[in-house]
Amino acid sequence: MYSEQVMDHFMNPRNMGEIPDADGVGEVGNPTCGDIMRITLRVEENRIVDAKFKTFGCAAAIASSSMATELIRGKTLEEAWAVTNRAVAGALEGLPPQKLHCSVLAEEGIHKAIDDYRARHGAPEPSGG
Amino acid sequence: MNTAIRGRSRPVYMDHAATTPARPEVVEAMLPCFSERFGNPSSLYALAREAQVTLEKARGQVAAAIGASPEEIYFTSGGTEADNWAIKGVAAANRKKGDHIITSAIEHHAVLHSCRSLEKQGYRVTYLPVDEFGRVEPAAVEEAITDATILISVMAANNEIGTIQPIAAIGEIARDRGIPFHTDAVQAIGAIPIDVDSMGIDLLALSGHKFYGPKGTGALYIRKKTRIGTFMDGGAQERGRRAGTENVPGAVGLGKAIELAVAAMPENVTRLAAMRDRLIREILETIPDTRLNGHPTERLPNNVNVAFRYVEGESILLMLDALGIAASTGSACTSASLEPSHVLTACGLPPEHAHGSLRLTLGSRNTDEDVDYVLSVLPRVIERLRKMSPLTPERYT
């Protein structure tokens, strides 16, 4: 059912955990649906120098969070904002159709964490955000 | 961290409520029916008569297992067909008499979706609630009965949480009121004694592959004089009620399997219940924030169903699978619907708990060593997933 990439990121998640006193925090999903994702960011000079996740959810949700944090580490906030759910799913060599919402959740988590950083640091909302 | 998924791995199948391996004796009994004694029971020559005799012997074996007469046993393609036939067939045949059906909220989808289908045709269905342990209250059945009630359908034992229903009490109510009583006994055969007469059962669905028989086999028991429509139109097989050339090898396997299952029941129940109780006790003792789903005592001897807070069932299953353990969950993430199990929800479990449920169903090949192995790895799997979960309280991380 799952690709090797999904299973790898599920069994060996990257960047699992929480950054203490993070510069930006994004929590998305709800327990009723069975998926909650929390992304924490460390931002230095407009660049994501560290990103971590904690996720309650299925293997696809955990793998999507892991891959999403991998994709945004080292990127500027603008570059990270542009990482789409399709990019996350693509990097995981695809997700089953009923699991695509997990990659959407990852994209939303990134956006929410960046929004949180910007709100706290007085930066302008991105255009099209 | 990865210690949880490395180290010795042992193949352990603990999903016997999903399906069971066919017994060697069952396969052996079936084999000659494929290419040697392959006759069509409807034909007239010796080869066909032999097939007819073989088929009727199997029918007798199924009948004996539930205290029925052979002519009350109709072979089907499985439990789902038997449930569909019972519900839709009785509803159709009694349409002039009434339009109301009583069932429970925790039935298998074969029953629930048959009822939903009837609702679309104008029938009314009462879905009885269950208590926190998944039990239907017989008094609630009685209260739900109206002049228009034409069928009561309550399962003998639940497939997810293993709760055994007070079937005899419900059967008595149905008999007193003259309403046909159907029970889905798919999980009950070989696990609890079933006697259609003393339990007031008029229709009963069973499925071969749940008790070490072949897949694609099952039967519907129909008490004599029960008004029910035909399920398949065609030839005169199965007393003209279920057309289609009989699956003789399947029926033979079903008959052999049910005979063996009932004979082995006393010994099996004791052995499986001991393993079940140890699993439940030690899981609840060693893993915090865990609860038992289903009834503490009125439960199938092979069923363990526990909910772990803060984690999700599919993740548990996949990690257990990596360790060689085959199990099941009521989490939405294993279904396309994204809804958690209707059974756990009906028992009042909040969705976030229902998502973290794990079902282990024991079977004939499981040993104490299997139980030891599950108990040795499960706490690490839960701990590992809880470390990943934003819901886990800090005291665990």
mmCIF file of all heavy atoms in Angstrom, chain B residues 86-132:
data_model
loop_
_atom_site.group_PDB
_atom_site.id
_atom_site.type_symbol
_atom_site.label_atom_id
_atom_site.label_comp_id
_atom_site.label_asym_id
_atom_site.label_seq_id
_atom_site.Cartn_x
_atom_site.Cartn_y
_atom_site.Cartn_z
ATOM 1 N N ALA B 86 -30.964 -13.230 4.690
ATOM 2 C CA ALA B 86 -31.863 -13.269 5.846
ATOM 3 C C ALA B 86 -32.650 -11.961 5.946
ATOM 4 O O ALA B 86 -33.877 -11.973 6.093
ATOM 5 C CB ALA B 86 -31.044 -13.502 7.121
ATOM 6 N N ILE B 87 -31.949 -10.848 5.884
ATOM 7 C CA ILE B 87 -32.590 -9.564 6.153
ATOM 8 C C ILE B 87 -33.490 -9.125 4.989
ATOM 9 O O ILE B 87 -34.660 -8.816 5.171
ATOM 10 C CB ILE B 87 -31.507 -8.520 6.480
ATOM 11 C CG1 ILE B 87 -30.899 -8.884 7.840
ATOM 12 C CG2 ILE B 87 -32.076 -7.108 6.494
ATOM 13 C CD1 ILE B 87 -29.598 -8.233 8.129
ATOM 14 N N LYS B 88 -32.924 -9.145 3.790
ATOM 15 C CA LYS B 88 -33.713 -8.700 2.638
ATOM 16 C C LYS B 88 -34.821 -9.704 2.305
ATOM 17 O O LYS B 88 -35.921 -9.319 1.896
ATOM 18 C CB LYS B 88 -32.805 -8.483 1.431
ATOM 19 C CG LYS B 88 -31.816 -7.335 1.654
ATOM 20 C CD LYS B 88 -30.801 -7.243 0.527
ATOM 21 C CE LYS B 88 -29.801 -6.130 0.799
ATOM 22 N NZ LYS B 88 -28.678 -6.152 -0.158
ATOM 23 N N GLY B 89 -34.510 -10.985 2.497
ATOM 24 C CA GLY B 89 -35.488 -12.025 2.175
ATOM 25 C C GLY B 89 -36.691 -11.991 3.113
ATOM 26 O O GLY B 89 -37.838 -12.102 2.674
ATOM 27 N N VAL B 90 -36.448 -11.840 4.409
ATOM 28 C CA VAL B 90 -37.550 -11.772 5.364
ATOM 29 C C VAL B 90 -38.336 -10.474 5.165
ATOM 30 O O VAL B 90 -39.573 -10.463 5.210
ATOM 31 C CB VAL B 90 -37.027 -11.899 6.820
ATOM 32 C CG1 VAL B 90 -38.127 -11.560 7.826
ATOM 33 C CG2 VAL B 90 -36.494 -13.307 7.073
ATOM 34 N N ALA B 91 -37.610 -9.382 4.924
ATOM 35 C CA ALA B 91 -38.284 -8.091 4.717
ATOM 36 C C ALA B 91 -39.225 -8.172 3.517
ATOM 37 O O ALA B 91 -40.389 -7.757 3.596
ATOM 38 C CB ALA B 91 -37.247 -6.983 4.518
ATOM 39 N N ALA B 92 -38.733 -8.746 2.414
ATOM 40 C CA ALA B 92 -39.548 -8.806 1.196
ATOM 41 C C ALA B 92 -40.780 -9.696 1.400
ATOM 42 O O ALA B 92 -41.883 -9.348 0.972
ATOM 43 C CB ALA B 92 -38.700 -9.326 0.033
ATOM 44 N N ALA B 93 -40.588 -10.820 2.066
ATOM 45 C CA ALA B 93 -41.687 -11.773 2.209
ATOM 46 C C ALA B 93 -42.750 -11.300 3.203
ATOM 47 O O ALA B 93 -43.854 -11.836 3.234
ATOM 48 C CB ALA B 93 -41.137 -13.142 2.651
ATOM 49 N N ASN B 94 -42.383 -10.346 4.050
ATOM 50 C CA ASN B 94 -43.329 -9.890 5.078
ATOM 51 C C ASN B 94 -43.776 -8.442 4.878
ATOM 52 O O ASN B 94 -44.292 -7.815 5.797
ATOM 53 C CB ASN B 94 -42.697 -10.050 6.467
ATOM 54 C CG ASN B 94 -42.524 -11.514 6.847
ATOM 55 O OD1 ASN B 94 -43.457 -12.161 7.300
ATOM 56 N ND2 ASN B 94 -41.348 -12.037 6.606
ATOM 57 N N ARG B 95 -43.551 -7.925 3.677
ATOM 58 C CA ARG B 95 -43.821 -6.512 3.415
ATOM 59 C C ARG B 95 -45.268 -6.128 3.714
ATOM 60 O O ARG B 95 -45.551 -5.028 4.212
ATOM 61 C CB ARG B 95 -43.473 -6.172 1.955
ATOM 62 C CG ARG B 95 -43.593 -4.699 1.616
ATOM 63 C CD ARG B 95 -42.523 -3.901 2.359
ATOM 64 N NE ARG B 95 -42.643 -2.458 2.112
ATOM 65 C CZ ARG B 95 -43.403 -1.651 2.838
ATOM 66 N NH1 ARG B 95 -44.134 -2.147 3.821
ATOM 67 N NH2 ARG B 95 -43.451 -0.359 2.583
ATOM 68 N N LYS B 96 -46.187 -7.045 3.439
ATOM 69 C CA LYS B 96 -47.602 -6.714 3.675
ATOM 70 C C LYS B 96 -47.944 -6.714 5.152
ATOM 71 O O LYS B 96 -48.893 -6.072 5.595
ATOM 72 C CB LYS B 96 -48.502 -7.713 2.936
ATOM 73 C CG LYS B 96 -48.571 -7.393 1.452
ATOM 74 C CD LYS B 96 -49.503 -8.329 0.705
ATOM 75 C CE LYS B 96 -49.443 -8.044 -0.779
ATOM 76 N NZ LYS B 96 -49.655 -9.281 -1.572
ATOM 77 N N LYS B 97 -47.144 -7.444 5.902
ATOM 78 C CA LYS B 97 -47.370 -7.576 7.336
ATOM 79 C C LYS B 97 -46.834 -6.357 8.091
ATOM 80 O O LYS B 97 -47.417 -5.929 9.094
ATOM 81 C CB LYS B 97 -46.635 -8.822 7.823
ATOM 82 C CG LYS B 97 -47.372 -9.640 8.845
ATOM 83 C CD LYS B 97 -46.613 -10.962 9.033
ATOM 84 C CE LYS B 97 -46.720 -11.434 10.472
ATOM 85 N NZ LYS B 97 -45.776 -12.528 10.742
ATOM 86 N N GLY B 98 -45.730 -5.817 7.614
ATOM 87 C CA GLY B 98 -45.126 -4.688 8.307
ATOM 88 C C GLY B 98 -43.864 -4.210 7.600
ATOM 89 O O GLY B 98 -43.444 -4.779 6.602
ATOM 90 N N ASP B 99 -43.291 -3.149 8.145
ATOM 91 C CA ASP B 99 -42.143 -2.541 7.466
ATOM 92 C C ASP B 99 -41.045 -2.142 8.459
ATOM 93 O O ASP B 99 -40.215 -1.311 8.171
ATOM 94 C CB ASP B 99 -42.600 -1.299 6.685
ATOM 95 C CG ASP B 99 -43.155 -0.223 7.604
ATOM 96 O OD1 ASP B 99 -43.266 -0.471 8.816
ATOM 97 O OD2 ASP B 99 -43.484 0.856 7.086
ATOM 98 N N HIS B 100 -41.078 -2.752 9.633
ATOM 99 C CA HIS B 100 -40.139 -2.328 10.681
ATOM 100 C C HIS B 100 -39.171 -3.442 11.072
ATOM 101 O O HIS B 100 -39.586 -4.584 11.284
ATOM 102 C CB HIS B 100 -40.939 -1.877 11.922
ATOM 103 C CG HIS B 100 -40.072 -1.416 13.049
ATOM 104 N ND1 HIS B 100 -40.183 -1.893 14.331
ATOM 105 C CD2 HIS B 100 -39.059 -0.505 13.080
ATOM 106 C CE1 HIS B 100 -39.285 -1.293 15.104
ATOM 107 N NE2 HIS B 100 -38.595 -0.451 14.370
ATOM 108 N N ILE B 101 -37.889 -3.069 11.130
ATOM 109 C CA ILE B 101 -36.835 -4.023 11.474
ATOM 110 C C ILE B 101 -36.080 -3.477 12.679
ATOM 111 O O ILE B 101 -35.823 -2.272 12.767
ATOM 112 C CB ILE B 101 -35.883 -4.214 10.272
ATOM 113 C CG1 ILE B 101 -36.636 -4.910 9.126
ATOM 114 C CG2 ILE B 101 -34.637 -5.013 10.667
ATOM 115 C CD1 ILE B 101 -35.984 -4.742 7.792
ATOM 116 N N ILE B 102 -35.731 -4.381 13.589
ATOM 117 C CA ILE B 102 -34.938 -3.988 14.763
ATOM 118 C C ILE B 102 -33.568 -4.649 14.648
ATOM 119 O O ILE B 102 -33.475 -5.858 14.427
ATOM 120 C CB ILE B 102 -35.618 -4.426 16.076
ATOM 121 C CG1 ILE B 102 -36.986 -3.736 16.225
ATOM 122 C CG2 ILE B 102 -34.731 -4.124 17.276
ATOM 123 C CD1 ILE B 102 -37.823 -4.297 17.368
ATOM 124 N N THR B 103 -32.521 -3.849 14.781
ATOM 125 C CA THR B 103 -31.171 -4.412 14.808
ATOM 126 C C THR B 103 -30.353 -3.599 15.799
ATOM 127 O O THR B 103 -30.899 -2.787 16.535
ATOM 128 C CB THR B 103 -30.557 -4.438 13.385
ATOM 129 O OG1 THR B 103 -29.317 -5.153 13.427
ATOM 130 C CG2 THR B 103 -30.299 -3.040 12.850
ATOM 131 N N SER B 104 -29.053 -3.840 15.846
ATOM 132 C CA SER B 104 -28.225 -3.090 16.802
ATOM 133 C C SER B 104 -27.253 -2.196 16.052
ATOM 134 O O SER B 104 -26.981 -2.399 14.871
ATOM 135 C CB SER B 104 -27.464 -4.044 17.719
ATOM 136 O OG SER B 104 -26.235 -4.420 17.135
ATOM 137 N N ALA B 105 -26.723 -1.224 16.779
ATOM 138 C CA ALA B 105 -25.813 -0.253 16.169
ATOM 139 C C ALA B 105 -24.435 -0.840 15.882
ATOM 140 O O ALA B 105 -23.635 -0.229 15.184
ATOM 141 C CB ALA B 105 -25.665 0.957 17.095
ATOM 142 N N ILE B 106 -24.156 -2.027 16.418
ATOM 143 C CA ILE B 106 -22.786 -2.548 16.289
ATOM 144 C C ILE B 106 -22.713 -3.782 15.400
ATOM 145 O O ILE B 106 -21.755 -4.545 15.449
ATOM 146 C CB ILE B 106 -22.176 -2.870 17.666
ATOM 147 C CG1 ILE B 106 -22.967 -3.971 18.378
ATOM 148 C CG2 ILE B 106 -22.124 -1.617 18.535
ATOM 149 C CD1 ILE B 106 -22.179 -4.620 19.509
ATOM 150 N N GLU B 107 -23.725 -3.992 14.572
ATOM 151 C CA GLU B 107 -23.721 -5.142 13.670
ATOM 152 C C GLU B 107 -22.601 -5.023 12.642
ATOM 153 O O GLU B 107 -22.089 -3.935 12.365
ATOM 154 C CB GLU B 107 -25.059 -5.238 12.930
ATOM 155 C CG GLU B 107 -26.263 -5.478 13.811
ATOM 156 C CD GLU B 107 -26.213 -6.814 14.541
ATOM 157 O OE1 GLU B 107 -26.014 -7.844 13.892
ATOM 158 O OE2 GLU B 107 -26.387 -6.803 15.775
ATOM 159 N N HIS B 108 -22.265 -6.144 12.067
ATOM 160 C CA HIS B 108 -21.343 -6.147 10.927
ATOM 161 C C HIS B 108 -21.977 -5.375 9.769
ATOM 162 O O HIS B 108 -23.204 -5.314 9.672
ATOM 163 C CB HIS B 108 -21.085 -7.598 10.501
ATOM 164 C CG HIS B 108 -19.987 -7.745 9.493
ATOM 165 N ND1 HIS B 108 -20.205 -7.631 8.144
ATOM 166 C CD2 HIS B 108 -18.667 -7.975 9.638
ATOM 167 C CE1 HIS B 108 -19.060 -7.797 7.501
ATOM 168 N NE2 HIS B 108 -18.109 -8.002 8.381
ATOM 169 N N HIS B 109 -21.153 -4.825 8.891
ATOM 170 C CA HIS B 109 -21.691 -4.060 7.768
ATOM 171 C C HIS B 109 -22.605 -4.900 6.863
ATOM 172 O O HIS B 109 -23.475 -4.350 6.191
ATOM 173 C CB HIS B 109 -20.567 -3.435 6.954
ATOM 174 C CG HIS B 109 -19.974 -2.220 7.648
ATOM 175 N ND1 HIS B 109 -18.620 -1.964 7.666
ATOM 176 C CD2 HIS B 109 -20.559 -1.233 8.340
ATOM 177 C CE1 HIS B 109 -18.407 -0.846 8.364
ATOM 178 N NE2 HIS B 109 -19.566 -0.388 8.782
ATOM 179 N N ALA B 110 -22.407 -6.210 6.849
ATOM 180 C CA ALA B 110 -23.289 -7.063 6.037
ATOM 181 C C ALA B 110 -24.737 -6.918 6.502
ATOM 182 O O ALA B 110 -25.665 -6.969 5.695
ATOM 183 C CB ALA B 110 -22.851 -8.522 6.128
ATOM 184 N N VAL B 111 -24.922 -6.717 7.793
ATOM 185 C CA VAL B 111 -26.266 -6.499 8.343
ATOM 186 C C VAL B 111 -26.665 -5.024 8.230
ATOM 187 O O VAL B 111 -27.738 -4.688 7.716
ATOM 188 C CB VAL B 111 -26.341 -6.973 9.817
ATOM 189 C CG1 VAL B 111 -27.635 -6.519 10.478
ATOM 190 C CG2 VAL B 111 -26.206 -8.485 9.893
ATOM 191 N N LEU B 112 -25.765 -4.152 8.693
ATOM 192 C CA LEU B 112 -26.108 -2.721 8.714
ATOM 193 C C LEU B 112 -26.407 -2.184 7.322
ATOM 194 O O LEU B 112 -27.376 -1.459 7.118
ATOM 195 C CB LEU B 112 -24.955 -1.913 9.337
ATOM 196 C CG LEU B 112 -24.795 -1.987 10.854
ATOM 197 C CD1 LEU B 112 -23.640 -1.109 11.299
ATOM 198 C CD2 LEU B 112 -26.089 -1.572 11.557
ATOM 199 N N HIS B 113 -25.561 -2.542 6.360
ATOM 200 C CA HIS B 113 -25.769 -2.013 5.008
ATOM 201 C C HIS B 113 -26.970 -2.666 4.326
ATOM 202 O O HIS B 113 -27.613 -2.044 3.473
ATOM 203 C CB HIS B 113 -24.492 -2.134 4.178
ATOM 204 C CG HIS B 113 -23.396 -1.207 4.676
ATOM 205 N ND1 HIS B 113 -22.128 -1.217 4.152
ATOM 206 C CD2 HIS B 113 -23.411 -0.261 5.637
ATOM 207 C CE1 HIS B 113 -21.401 -0.302 4.795
ATOM 208 N NE2 HIS B 113 -22.150 0.293 5.702
ATOM 209 N N SER B 114 -27.290 -3.901 4.699
ATOM 210 C CA SER B 114 -28.537 -4.501 4.198
ATOM 211 C C SER B 114 -29.727 -3.715 4.727
ATOM 212 O O SER B 114 -30.691 -3.454 4.001
ATOM 213 C CB SER B 114 -28.642 -5.970 4.633
ATOM 214 O OG SER B 114 -27.670 -6.752 3.981
ATOM 215 N N CYS B 115 -29.663 -3.330 6.002
ATOM 216 C CA CYS B 115 -30.758 -2.537 6.596
ATOM 217 C C CYS B 115 -30.836 -1.159 5.937
ATOM 218 O O CYS B 115 -31.931 -0.663 5.646
ATOM 219 C CB CYS B 115 -30.549 -2.404 8.099
ATOM 220 S SG CYS B 115 -30.872 -3.934 9.000
ATOM 221 N N ARG B 116 -29.693 -0.536 5.693
ATOM 222 C CA ARG B 116 -29.685 0.782 5.046
ATOM 223 C C ARG B 116 -30.317 0.688 3.657
ATOM 224 O O ARG B 116 -31.047 1.573 3.225
ATOM 225 C CB ARG B 116 -28.259 1.313 4.905
ATOM 226 C CG ARG B 116 -27.565 1.552 6.219
ATOM 227 C CD ARG B 116 -27.237 3.025 6.475
ATOM 228 N NE ARG B 116 -26.456 3.186 7.694
ATOM 229 C CZ ARG B 116 -26.975 3.368 8.905
ATOM 230 N NH1 ARG B 116 -28.283 3.437 9.080
ATOM 231 N NH2 ARG B 116 -26.196 3.483 9.962
ATOM 232 N N SER B 117 -30.004 -0.408 2.978
ATOM 233 C CA SER B 117 -30.561 -0.613 1.649
ATOM 234 C C SER B 117 -32.084 -0.733 1.727
ATOM 235 O O SER B 117 -32.813 -0.184 0.884
ATOM 236 C CB SER B 117 -29.905 -1.857 1.032
ATOM 237 O OG SER B 117 -30.702 -2.412 0.040
ATOM 238 N N LEU B 118 -32.579 -1.412 2.750
ATOM 239 C CA LEU B 118 -34.029 -1.536 2.926
ATOM 240 C C LEU B 118 -34.663 -0.196 3.282
ATOM 241 O O LEU B 118 -35.796 0.088 2.872
ATOM 242 C CB LEU B 118 -34.345 -2.575 4.011
ATOM 243 C CG LEU B 118 -34.085 -4.030 3.626
ATOM 244 C CD1 LEU B 118 -34.291 -4.945 4.820
ATOM 245 C CD2 LEU B 118 -34.980 -4.465 2.466
ATOM 246 N N GLU B 119 -33.939 0.617 4.049
ATOM 247 C CA GLU B 119 -34.473 1.944 4.406
ATOM 248 C C GLU B 119 -34.734 2.759 3.138
ATOM 249 O O GLU B 119 -35.715 3.503 3.052
ATOM 250 C CB GLU B 119 -33.490 2.688 5.309
ATOM 251 C CG GLU B 119 -33.562 2.253 6.766
ATOM 252 C CD GLU B 119 -32.643 3.064 7.667
ATOM 253 O OE1 GLU B 119 -31.413 2.943 7.517
ATOM 254 O OE2 GLU B 119 -33.162 3.818 8.498
ATOM 255 N N LYS B 120 -33.833 2.606 2.159
ATOM 256 C CA LYS B 120 -34.018 3.337 0.896
ATOM 257 C C LYS B 120 -35.272 2.871 0.166
ATOM 258 O O LYS B 120 -35.827 3.595 -0.653
ATOM 259 C CB LYS B 120 -32.792 3.145 -0.007
ATOM 260 C CG LYS B 120 -31.607 3.971 0.462
ATOM 261 C CD LYS B 120 -30.405 3.823 -0.468
ATOM 262 C CE LYS B 120 -29.162 4.365 0.180
ATOM 263 N NZ LYS B 120 -27.955 3.622 -0.214
ATOM 264 N N GLN B 121 -35.695 1.628 0.466
ATOM 265 C CA GLN B 121 -36.919 1.121 -0.166
ATOM 266 C C GLN B 121 -38.156 1.414 0.678
ATOM 267 O O GLN B 121 -39.230 0.886 0.395
ATOM 268 C CB GLN B 121 -36.802 -0.391 -0.376
ATOM 269 C CG GLN B 121 -35.701 -0.797 -1.336
ATOM 270 C CD GLN B 121 -35.473 -2.299 -1.272
ATOM 271 O OE1 GLN B 121 -36.416 -3.075 -1.173
ATOM 272 N NE2 GLN B 121 -34.214 -2.711 -1.313
ATOM 273 N N GLY B 122 -37.989 2.162 1.756
ATOM 274 C CA GLY B 122 -39.154 2.550 2.547
ATOM 275 C C GLY B 122 -39.337 1.799 3.849
ATOM 276 O O GLY B 122 -40.282 2.086 4.596
ATOM 277 N N TYR B 123 -38.492 0.822 4.120
ATOM 278 C CA TYR B 123 -38.591 0.145 5.411
ATOM 279 C C TYR B 123 -38.062 1.080 6.500
ATOM 280 O O TYR B 123 -37.260 1.969 6.246
ATOM 281 C CB TYR B 123 -37.756 -1.143 5.416
ATOM 282 C CG TYR B 123 -38.339 -2.242 4.568
ATOM 283 C CD1 TYR B 123 -38.041 -2.325 3.202
ATOM 284 C CD2 TYR B 123 -39.160 -3.217 5.128
ATOM 285 C CE1 TYR B 123 -38.558 -3.343 2.412
ATOM 286 C CE2 TYR B 123 -39.680 -4.246 4.342
ATOM 287 C CZ TYR B 123 -39.379 -4.301 2.990
ATOM 288 O OH TYR B 123 -39.885 -5.308 2.231
ATOM 289 N N ARG B 124 -38.518 0.842 7.727
ATOM 290 C CA ARG B 124 -38.009 1.602 8.872
ATOM 291 C C ARG B 124 -37.150 0.674 9.725
ATOM 292 O O ARG B 124 -37.506 -0.501 9.920
ATOM 293 C CB ARG B 124 -39.184 2.143 9.699
ATOM 294 C CG ARG B 124 -40.009 3.204 8.948
ATOM 295 C CD ARG B 124 -41.265 3.562 9.705
ATOM 296 N NE ARG B 124 -42.113 2.403 9.904
ATOM 297 C CZ ARG B 124 -42.726 2.113 11.043
ATOM 298 N NH1 ARG B 124 -42.573 2.891 12.093
ATOM 299 N NH2 ARG B 124 -43.491 1.034 11.147
ATOM 300 N N VAL B 125 -36.033 1.181 10.182
ATOM 301 C CA VAL B 125 -35.097 0.354 10.952
ATOM 302 C C VAL B 125 -34.767 1.039 12.271
ATOM 303 O O VAL B 125 -34.444 2.226 12.295
ATOM 304 C CB VAL B 125 -33.792 0.093 10.164
ATOM 305 C CG1 VAL B 125 -32.846 -0.787 10.977
ATOM 306 C CG2 VAL B 125 -34.076 -0.540 8.806
ATOM 307 N N THR B 126 -34.864 0.291 13.363
ATOM 308 C CA THR B 126 -34.412 0.781 14.671
ATOM 309 C C THR B 126 -33.032 0.188 14.926
ATOM 310 O O THR B 126 -32.868 -1.033 14.895
ATOM 311 C CB THR B 126 -35.385 0.329 15.788
ATOM 312 O OG1 THR B 126 -36.670 0.872 15.520
ATOM 313 C CG2 THR B 126 -34.897 0.813 17.151
ATOM 314 N N TYR B 127 -32.040 1.067 15.131
ATOM 315 C CA TYR B 127 -30.685 0.615 15.458
ATOM 316 C C TYR B 127 -30.506 0.766 16.963
ATOM 317 O O TYR B 127 -30.309 1.873 17.462
ATOM 318 C CB TYR B 127 -29.641 1.436 14.700
ATOM 319 C CG TYR B 127 -29.790 1.335 13.198
ATOM 320 C CD1 TYR B 127 -30.551 2.265 12.484
ATOM 321 C CD2 TYR B 127 -29.174 0.304 12.492
ATOM 322 C CE1 TYR B 127 -30.698 2.169 11.111
ATOM 323 C CE2 TYR B 127 -29.319 0.199 11.115
ATOM 324 C CZ TYR B 127 -30.082 1.127 10.432
ATOM 325 O OH TYR B 127 -30.221 1.033 9.067
ATOM 326 N N LEU B 128 -30.623 -0.331 17.684
ATOM 327 C CA LEU B 128 -30.574 -0.266 19.148
ATOM 328 C C LEU B 128 -29.190 0.154 19.624
ATOM 329 O O LEU B 128 -28.185 -0.329 19.109
ATOM 330 C CB LEU B 128 -30.919 -1.627 19.746
ATOM 331 C CG LEU B 128 -32.338 -2.120 19.524
ATOM 332 C CD1 LEU B 128 -32.449 -3.564 20.014
ATOM 333 C CD2 LEU B 128 -33.337 -1.230 20.258
ATOM 334 N N PRO B 129 -29.151 1.036 20.613
ATOM 335 C CA PRO B 129 -27.847 1.406 21.175
ATOM 336 C C PRO B 129 -27.281 0.257 22.014
ATOM 337 O O PRO B 129 -28.005 -0.694 22.329
ATOM 338 C CB PRO B 129 -28.188 2.607 22.067
ATOM 339 C CG PRO B 129 -29.610 2.401 22.456
ATOM 340 C CD PRO B 129 -30.272 1.675 21.320
ATOM 341 N N VAL B 130 -26.005 0.372 22.360
ATOM 342 C CA VAL B 130 -25.379 -0.622 23.235
ATOM 343 C C VAL B 130 -24.797 0.110 24.440
ATOM 344 O O VAL B 130 -24.606 1.328 24.392
ATOM 345 C CB VAL B 130 -24.260 -1.405 22.509
ATOM 346 C CG1 VAL B 130 -24.850 -2.259 21.408
ATOM 347 C CG2 VAL B 130 -23.194 -0.460 21.946
ATOM 348 N N ASP B 131 -24.512 -0.649 25.495
ATOM 349 C CA ASP B 131 -23.885 -0.016 26.652
ATOM 350 C C ASP B 131 -22.389 0.149 26.393
ATOM 351 O O ASP B 131 -21.905 -0.196 25.317
ATOM 352 C CB ASP B 131 -24.203 -0.786 27.942
ATOM 353 C CG ASP B 131 -23.599 -2.190 27.975
ATOM 354 O OD1 ASP B 131 -22.690 -2.479 27.156
ATOM 355 O OD2 ASP B 131 -24.027 -3.004 28.805
ATOM 356 N N GLU B 132 -21.649 0.630 27.395
ATOM 357 C CA GLU B 132 -20.223 0.907 27.175
ATOM 358 C C GLU B 132 -19.428 -0.351 26.850
ATOM 359 O O GLU B 132 -18.322 -0.287 26.325
ATOM 360 C CB GLU B 132 -19.625 1.589 28.414
ATOM 361 C CG GLU B 132 -19.716 0.729 29.658
ATOM 362 C CD GLU B 132 -19.101 1.374 30.886
ATOM 363 O OE1 GLU B 132 -17.940 1.809 30.807
ATOM 364 O OE2 GLU B 132 -19.793 1.454 31.919
#
